[in-house]
Amino acid sequence: MTVTTSDTDEARRLRRDLAAALAEKGDLTDPVWRKVFEEVPRHVFVPEF
């Protein structure tokens, strides 16, 4: 198994897009949690799917 720990521009863009989509739906209303969704690289925790 290979674990990719680098944080690429694409990964950052995808996190921002996810946070924006969740906020638009009303599922992510707290600005602190939105920042967490935008900044924490979750792909490190789930290397394969």
Side-chain angles (χ1 to χ4, degrees):
M1 171 174 66
T2 302
V3 176
T4 302
T5 58
S6 64
D7 194 14
T8 65
D9 289 339
E10 181 180 14
R12 287 187 290 276
R13 180 188 58 78
L14 289 169
R15 289 195 307 270
R16 286 191 306 270
D17 290 352
L18 173 62
L22 290 171
E24 187 175 304
K25 286 179 54 180
D27 294 330
L28 185 59
T29 58
D30 186 321
V32 173
W33 275 106
R34 181 171 179 156
K35 185 173 181 162
V36 169
F37 267 78
E38 292 175 341
E39 294 184 6
V40 175
R42 288 172 302 283
H43 66 282
V44 174
F45 303 103
V46 185
E48 294 183 36
F49 54 92

